[in-house]
Amino acid sequence: MEQLPVIFGHESLGDIGIGTVELNRPAVLNALDTYCYELLESRLLRWRDDDAIGAIIMSGVNGSKAFCAGGDVKQLVLRGKDSGLEIAKDFFTREYFVDGLIHGFKKPVIAVCDGITMGGGLGLAAGAFYRIATERTMVAMPELSIGFFPDVGATRFLRGFNSRRVRAPYGLFMGLTGARLSGVDAVRIGLMDGWLPSERIRHLRVDCLRALANCGDATSESARDALKNVLMRHCLSAETLNQNVSNPMIPSMNKDDQRVIEDIFSYENLLEIDNKFLAARKISPWLEETRERYKSGSPLSRAVFFAAWQKHRDLAITETLTREWEIAIHFSKEREFSEGVRAVLIDKDHAPAWTYKTLADVPSEAVAACFESGEPANSLAEKFREFGW
């Protein structure tokens, strides 16, 4: 029997259980399509009101290389050619709703980001109660390379929100460059909460279940505290990590890289950042590769992300997602997104013909236009209102 693209399970000890979510599309690095988000939405809403479920653990299916490589934008663009804008509106409404649901979930959600975690995968993890990186973790927001923008709440969560903070200016650096960070770096900058060897994941799940069962009432504040204690006992934090846990296959930033990033990406003017980054000399191979990725991305997308980064700095996550929906639908109508997906994911010639050749060529009017979908209604805003958010 063919398995679903998202596998749901229930591990219990007595009357208390943990819901498990395994993303099951390993052939496409667990990239999620509209159907996946439909499944996630339905099950999360059911578990939200199920007293037998005390917490949820999300991961990639056992043996896969990824937690989640993002949304399946290749299929989105291909299907959109035949079915029009409604395909994109449905996809982004469902994707962003699930992300918002996790951010506001009343039960602890634990995201085990073991492997590739990019774009929409980071969007799933961002709102979790606890976000775990491993030696196999690689995180990135690579949307500029396909003529899109870092979305799924990234225009807000790459700064941090509530009590969480992403170390400045690393969130902006990630969004503008598509830099690939190791799990160690993701913890150090505050994008992940703890680091755990992948071989210890199963032990962690068992101890989380025991902690909830010992509390009796899995929905109580004491249960959340007990769960947090288990997670902190198993995982290394930013303060306790050392370079010895790194994976040589996924390079980590060195101190020189950090100095360059903090010097350049702290500027408030995007053109100044652009000029200084392109002119930087004597940088590491990792940062040089990041710069090449930056140079190959869409100048329009870069300008739109930076504008959204500034506009959304103080917004709640649901308002951020609602505004990002407007941008996403605008991009879905224009050639930049489809051209980027064609060049990188369909034809794979990696030679996109961007609308503007350089950042300096991008007019402010073109950036401003991207913040309006042109649609009579925002279906994500309507859905949030339906749930009282």
Side-chain angles (χ1 to χ4, degrees):
M1 186 174 67
E2 186 177 354
Q3 288 186 316
L4 290 172
V6 183
I7 301 171
F8 301 101
H10 181 190
E11 299 177 1
S12 59
L13 188 60
D15 297 329
I16 303 300
I18 288 179
T20 60
V21 177
E22 293 181 297
L23 307 180
N24 185 35
R25 301 185 76 206
V28 289
L29 300 176
N30 294 331
L32 302 181
D33 59 13
T34 304
Y35 180 47
C36 295
Y37 285 112
E38 289 177 15
L39 293 172
L40 284 165
E41 177 185 331
S42 175
R43 186 56 63 102
L44 288 173
L45 288 173
R46 187 195 309 177
W47 279 343
R48 183 185 64 169
D49 301 320
D50 185 346
D51 291 340
I53 298 293
I56 294 165
I57 296 179
M58 297 191 301
S59 65
V61 71
N62 188 38
S64 62
K65 296 179 180 178
F67 166 61
C68 174
D72 194 343
V73 293
K74 176 181 176 180
Q75 288 304 312
L76 177 65
V77 168
L78 290 173
R79 290 182 64 203
K81 289 181 179 180
D82 298 325
S83 305
L85 190 63
E86 292 305 311
I87 293 292
K89 289 165 70 173
D90 187 34
F91 174 80
F92 288 115
T93 299
R94 291 188 181 278
E95 180 184 26
Y96 294 0
F97 180 79
V98 168
D99 294 336
L101 182 60
I102 292 170
H103 275 276
F105 213 68
K106 65 182 182 181
K107 297 176 181 179
V109 177
I110 300 164
V112 182
C113 301
D114 180 30
I116 296 166
T117 304
M118 299 195 298
L122 208 49
L124 277 182
F129 173 75
Y130 201 87
R131 305 156 299 178
I132 296 172
T134 74
E135 78 284 356
R136 302 188 332 126
T137 299
M138 186 276 286
V139 299
M141 294 299 295
E143 287 79 5
L144 301 190
S145 68
I146 56 168
F148 200 56
F149 72 105
D151 62 332
V152 294
T155 59
R156 183 69 177 86
F157 75 64
L158 284 177
R159 286 185 185 274
F161 51 89
N162 299 331
S163 61
R164 289 174 167 170
R165 288 290 178 269
V166 175
R167 271 178 58 196
Y170 292 97
L172 180 61
F173 167 72
M174 283 189 68
L176 286 176
T177 67
R180 298 179 176 183
L181 270 60
S182 68
V184 170
D185 287 336
V187 174
R188 285 186 174 144
I189 70 170
L191 205 56
M192 296 281 155
D193 298 300
W195 187 95
L196 180 73
S198 56
E199 64 186 18
R200 296 287 303 170
I201 292 171
R202 182 60 200 166
H203 300 281
L204 173 71
R205 290 164 72 125
V206 171
D207 283 357
C208 285
L209 184 57
R210 286 174 178 161
L212 289 176
N214 289 338
C215 289
D217 180 3
T219 62
S220 66
E221 195 62 35
S222 62
R224 294 175 71 91
D225 291 341
L227 199 58
K228 188 68 172 284
N229 288 336
V230 168
L231 290 161
M232 293 179 70
R233 188 170 71 246
H234 276 268
C235 299
L236 295 173
S237 67
E239 292 74 31
T240 55
L241 269 173
N242 62 65
Q243 206 65 34
N244 294 332
V245 301
S246 297
N247 180 348
M249 300 301 293
I250 308 174
S252 291
M253 290 183 283
N254 61 41
K255 291 184 178 179
D256 289 336
D257 293 332
Q258 292 173 40
R259 279 193 288 269
V260 172
I261 293 166
E262 290 172 13
D263 176 53
I264 293 174
F265 288 85
S266 295
Y267 285 94
E268 292 289 329
N269 181 281
L270 180 56
L271 279 174
E272 195 164 8
I273 291 172
D274 183 72
N275 290 334
K276 288 185 176 297
F277 191 40
L278 294 179
R281 302 177 64 184
K282 296 182 180 179
I283 58 177
S284 72
W286 174 79
L287 197 53
E288 181 61 58
E289 180 182 328
T290 299
R291 183 163 63 181
E292 289 303 309
R293 195 172 290 114
Y294 171 85
K295 288 161 62 176
S296 68
S298 160
L300 174 62
S301 297
R302 197 178 306 150
V304 170
F305 170 71
F306 188 78
W309 171 265
Q310 294 180 312
K311 288 173 180 284
H312 300 172
R313 66 189 311 153
D314 297 317
L315 296 182
I317 195 66
T318 50
E319 180 62 23
T320 299
L321 290 165
T322 299
R323 295 194 185 190
E324 287 183 352
W325 187 93
E326 295 283 329
I327 305 172
I329 300 309
H330 181 92
F331 268 97
S332 299
K333 294 178 177 182
E334 304 298 329
R335 67 172 296 279
E336 200 83 347
F337 183 28
S338 58
E339 170 62 10
V341 171
R342 179 207 65 76
V344 176
L345 301 175
I346 298 175
D347 296 342
K348 299 183 180 180
D349 57 28
H350 295 277
W354 298 130
T355 304
Y356 305 101
K357 291 186 179 298
T358 70
L359 191 61
D361 295 332
V362 181
S364 58
E365 296 83 2
V367 175
C370 291
F371 285 80
E372 298 291 339
S373 68
E375 294 301 297
N378 184 313
S379 56
L380 179 66
E382 292 175 347
K383 191 160 188 173
F384 281 152
R385 282 195 295 270
E386 179 186 337
F387 282 83
W389 299 348

